[in-house]
Amino acid sequence: MPKVDYRLERWSLDDLSPGLESDEYRDARQAIDQTLQAFEGQRARLTDDLTPQGLFEILQAFDGLQRQVSRYVGFAYLRFAEDTQDPAAQTMRGRADQLGAEVGNRTLFFTLWWKALSEATAEALLTGAGDYRQWLLNLRREAPFTLSEPEERVINLKDVTGRRAIVALYESLTNRYTFRLKVDGQGLELTRGEAETYRYDPRPEVRAASYQEILRVYAADERVLGQLYQSLVRDWRNENIELRRFASPIAVRNLGNDLPDDIVETLLDVCREKAAIFQRFFRLKAHWLGVDRLRRYDIYAPIGEAHATFALEAAVGEVLGAFDAFEPQVAHLAQKVLDQRHYDGEVRRGKQSGAFCATIEPGLTPWVLQSYQGRPRDIATLAHELGHAVHSLLASGHSALTQDATLPLAETASTFGEMLLIDRLLASDPTPEVRQALLFRQMDDNYATVMRQAYFAVFEQQAHQRIHDGAQVEALSDLYLETLREQFGESVELSDDFRAEWLAIPHFYHTPFYVYAYAFGQLLVLALYQQYRDQGPGFIPRYLEILRAGGSDSPIGVLEKAGIDVRAREFWEKGFGVLERALEELEQLGAPSRSRRGG
Ligand SMILES: [Zn+2]
């Protein structure tokens, strides 16, 4: 690998535009107007005479428009992310949003036309669609469950004052909540986000108080929040089962994710069967904290703190080294982000918090943002975001409509990249503190992403059924507690206040069954990683094939082409094998030293 001098600095957006006030940026806006007008002219071609070749040309025009808009809007977004306090960037971001909405509205005729075609006509036109095929198929996926136009219009109209109004009501009610905590003798009045940060506090009494206060406030509104939920669930059933004829409440989401029902059931089944792994982890955590049994309040308690700091150069060396040892091409692609100065790792005031990788369009190397502070978790984040970038670059042979991986595969390269890094760091025999920090972080994250989310979905499935059977709100809280008992077994002391936790999960209200996608994506990568461990280099071409596919096929299609059978239980069980290995490593690290702060 060529040695490059990496510094923490602001990224360069020159590949997008010289600046918000530049002539080029103004011209880009005008060019979009012209392309948009030209595209509207295509409407005349949408007749019975349209040939597959004709459709392909229209799709190319649409693709070109998307790229132009993406560059324009992307620049505004990235400029805003680098300095959220810059008034010019704030204004431009707002205008970019407006442009996005306008483009959406003015091109709606095209997607509506496509969705409304008869099955036979669509089938015939698809023959010439090339790389756009999957995008077109995605648009038509809901066709078998679509009602007549007047019926759809009535549903849309009534949703505004129906389910959307109920969700809005839930949001307004719960967003007004304030939470009172006493910390260091000081009375605090906090938002939920602020109160939740105390779950990670080293002091056990502070962690407990944080949970108790949040649960107390939600429980006080149990009746009304529960009623809102019951209405949403009944509406979900009336519309999707009674009218649209879906097989089950979760099948609606499965169709959206393009995942077959049986695979989702297998995933949830295997998760329930493997709950014991995290129960073992919680027992180990109790031991490290020096208590007999963990309380539910303690599951995110910090274990030690790794003070090791890695300069950016060293971090980049570790990440690229891990990628390179796997497959040089992967390292080479990740390095493009750094070499082209598309990486912003500097810690600055006003910069957007968190981390992301932004793919603008297939012709451009993605941009990566984080606030790099040299902790082990920052290196893991660097590997994660660069993994996203590698995924995009490998899929850059596709159109702007089919480059991005579908939701179930969206975290594949990022999580896999993190795994590669963690394994490399562990193999380099770091200090016990760094080892411990890496492994605990891995287990904590996987608990929150896999097991917790899977049990959320289990609760939702049962809750939908019980509400249909006439269950009262209190019965739903009891049901929730039951799912927690199954999840934790005897490993965690579960207090009754957690009955109310489900009232505080917004996903249940605004996007039913969304939660399992987290578990699916994460466990999928763990399973792939285990295949890599088992098969060695022979696995690599199949892995690269998955990434190269981007969003050009259904998630199952992509995996099947790479020879991966996600229908098999053993596949998912293998994913848990990775976690078992991490847990064994942790168990072998031995007893904590006395100086460590526990609780
Ligand atoms: Zn990610």
Side-chain angles (χ1 to χ4, degrees):
M1 251 173 291
K3 177 101 172 105
V4 182
D5 183 19
Y6 298 111
R7 260 164 299 150
L8 281 175
E9 55 184 359
R10 195 182 287 246
W11 55 24
S12 160
L13 299 177
D14 290 351
D15 289 342
L16 283 171
S17 173
L20 291 172
E21 259 114 55
S22 66
D23 290 342
E24 285 88 338
Y25 199 55
R26 258 191 299 276
D27 293 347
R29 179 70 176 81
Q30 279 185 350
I32 289 172
D33 283 335
Q34 282 162 10
T35 312
L36 193 51
Q37 260 181 30
F39 187 78
E40 284 175 314
Q42 304 280 358
R43 192 196 279 258
R45 297 177 70 187
L46 304 179
T47 65
D48 292 347
D49 299 331
L50 186 68
T51 61
Q53 176 59 28
L55 175 63
F56 186 73
E57 286 161 15
I58 297 172
L59 285 162
Q60 280 183 312
F62 189 66
D63 185 5
L65 172 65
Q66 295 305 322
R67 290 175 198 239
Q68 256 181 307
V69 172
S70 233
R71 293 169 86 111
Y72 185 85
V73 171
F75 180 67
Y77 265 77
L78 296 180
R79 266 291 278 112
F80 175 77
E82 72 174 46
D83 183 3
T84 61
Q85 302 306 304
D86 177 353
Q90 289 169 346
T91 308
M92 194 50 83
R93 199 182 87 141
R95 281 167 60 183
D97 276 339
Q98 220 173 334
L99 174 69
E102 190 192 329
V103 171
N105 280 333
R106 286 173 62 183
T107 56
L108 200 58
F109 71 91
F110 176 53
T111 49
L112 287 179
W113 163 81
W114 170 251
K115 285 196 219 178
L117 288 179
S118 75
E119 200 54 40
T121 311
E123 196 80 36
L125 286 173
L126 269 172
T127 56
D131 191 59
Y132 300 114
R133 183 183 167 82
Q134 188 61 32
W135 184 77
L136 291 169
L137 285 175
N138 288 345
L139 286 174
R140 287 188 65 88
R141 216 185 300 144
E142 282 166 16
F145 303 96
T146 303
L147 306 172
S148 71
E149 205 188 320
E151 286 172 311
E152 289 292 345
R153 248 188 277 145
V154 171
I155 291 179
N156 267 338
L157 195 65
K158 300 298 282 181
D159 267 355
V160 177
T161 47
R163 76 171 300 118
R164 298 230 300 269
I166 296 175
V167 172
L169 202 54
Y170 172 81
E171 301 285 350
S172 0
L173 266 170
T174 54
N175 286 336
R176 286 169 57 213
Y177 291 162
T178 52
F179 304 91
R180 277 177 226 120
L181 273 187
K182 216 168 172 173
V183 181
D184 297 323
Q186 224 192 342
L188 305 172
E189 204 168 290
L190 306 167
T191 64
R192 177 166 163 188
E194 290 166 338
E196 278 179 351
T197 60
Y198 291 99
R199 293 175 175 183
Y200 308 93
D201 198 275
R203 292 161 295 185
E205 67 281 5
V206 175
R207 292 195 295 267
S210 156
Y211 274 108
Q212 284 159 353
E213 173 64 1
I214 292 171
L215 293 168
R216 179 190 68 79
V217 171
Y218 277 87
D221 273 345
E222 183 190 31
R223 282 284 169 82
V224 61
L225 297 180
Q227 244 175 47
L228 295 179
Y229 183 68
Q230 284 175 314
S231 299
L232 287 169
V233 168
R234 288 201 193 100
D235 177 80
W236 188 262
R237 186 172 195 99
N238 289 341
E239 177 182 331
N240 294 304
I241 309 274
E242 308 302 330
L243 299 176
R244 299 189 188 278
R245 301 282 164 199
F246 277 95
S248 65
I250 198 173
V252 184
R253 186 67 54 209
N254 297 347
L255 184 82
N257 291 336
D258 206 359
L259 291 173
D261 295 346
D262 62 318
I263 294 179
V264 175
E265 284 313 310
T266 305
L267 163 82
L268 295 179
D269 256 20
V270 173
C271 284
R272 291 174 86 167
E273 201 182 275
K274 295 287 182 183
I277 292 177
F278 286 103
Q279 294 171 8
R280 204 170 119 201
F281 172 63
F282 293 132
R283 279 192 285 268
L284 178 70
K285 199 157 185 176
H287 172 70
W288 282 76
L289 290 171
V291 296
D292 288 339
R293 189 149 79 123
L294 224 52
R295 302 168 305 167
R296 171 62 187 80
Y297 310 125
D298 302 320
I299 63 173
Y300 299 120
I303 297 280
E305 260 312 313
H307 295 296
T309 52
F310 295 76
L312 182 67
E313 288 241 272
V316 167
E318 294 293 348
V319 173
L320 295 183
F323 287 7
D324 187 60
F326 174 71
E327 159 64 44
Q329 193 195 356
V330 170
H332 172 74
L333 292 174
Q335 198 174 344
K336 273 180 121 172
V337 174
L338 299 154
D339 290 353
Q340 295 179 15
R341 295 189 51 225
H342 283 199
Y343 168 70
D344 190 326
E346 194 181 31
V347 180
R348 289 190 306 271
R349 196 187 306 177
K351 182 172 157 175
Q352 189 169 314
S353 62
F356 65 74
C357 170
T359 293
I360 305 296
E361 57 121 311
L364 290 169
T365 301
W367 275 262
V368 166
L369 176 140
Q370 76 172 134
S371 293
Y372 183 82
Q373 294 169 65
R375 298 161 300 182
R377 78 168 84 155
D378 294 317
I379 315 182
T381 302
L382 180 63
H384 182 103
E385 302 306 339
L386 287 178
H388 275 304
V390 169
H391 200 162
S392 284
L393 287 166
L394 280 169
S396 64
H398 296 287
S399 73
L401 308 179
T402 47
Q403 179 186 20
D404 292 342
T406 51
L407 176 67
L409 295 178
E411 294 298 328
T412 307
S414 54
T415 310
F416 202 92
E418 258 188 85
M419 302 284 306
L420 289 170
L421 171 81
I422 289 168
D423 268 5
R424 176 186 167 94
L425 291 178
L426 291 172
S428 71
D429 204 22
T431 63
E433 278 74 22
V434 172
R435 266 188 121 66
Q436 186 194 41
L438 290 168
L439 290 165
F440 265 110
R441 178 184 182 277
Q442 201 179 7
M443 291 303 291
D444 274 344
D445 284 0
N446 277 293
Y447 167 69
T449 315
V450 178
M451 199 53 78
R452 183 166 158 82
Q453 306 300 327
Y455 269 97
F456 277 164
V458 168
F459 166 74
E460 282 189 282
Q461 278 185 305
Q462 297 182 358
H464 277 246
Q465 184 57 45
R466 299 262 184 110
I467 289 169
H468 179 58
D469 298 339
Q472 306 288 308
V473 174
E474 288 76 9
L476 297 175
S477 297
D478 292 340
L479 169 69
Y480 184 75
L481 202 59
E482 272 170 44
T483 63
L484 289 182
R485 284 213 183 91
E486 182 187 313
Q487 187 184 158
F488 293 116
E490 290 298 308
S491 68
V492 168
E493 185 190 320
L494 195 59
S495 40
D496 265 2
D497 44 2
F498 281 92
R499 289 176 84 251
E501 194 186 23
W502 68 279
L503 300 166
I505 311 295
H507 273 117
F508 293 168
Y509 292 76
H510 61 66
T511 327
F513 304 105
Y514 183 83
V515 289
Y516 81 74
Y518 294 117
F520 186 101
Q522 181 78 10
L523 202 55
L524 173 76
V525 181
L526 293 178
L528 291 175
Y529 200 78
Q530 187 59 45
Q531 289 208 340
Y532 167 53
R533 278 179 178 166
D534 294 345
Q535 299 167 7
F539 167 80
I540 296 170
R542 291 158 61 203
Y543 174 72
L544 295 179
E545 195 181 341
I546 296 172
L547 301 192
R548 267 193 215 105
S552 67
D553 197 349
S554 73
I556 299 306
V558 170
L559 292 164
E560 272 171 1
K561 269 186 211 151
I564 286 154
D565 180 14
V566 290
R567 283 205 153 76
R569 290 181 79 84
E570 304 80 66
F571 174 78
W572 298 105
E573 285 163 3
K574 276 195 168 182
F576 282 103
V578 176
L579 299 177
E580 256 171 322
R581 191 91 63 89
L583 185 55
E584 277 160 22
E585 273 251 23
L586 266 175
E587 285 167 342
Q588 281 159 16
L589 274 177
S593 73
R594 279 297 107 208
S595 63
R596 196 167 283 118
R597 257 188 108 176

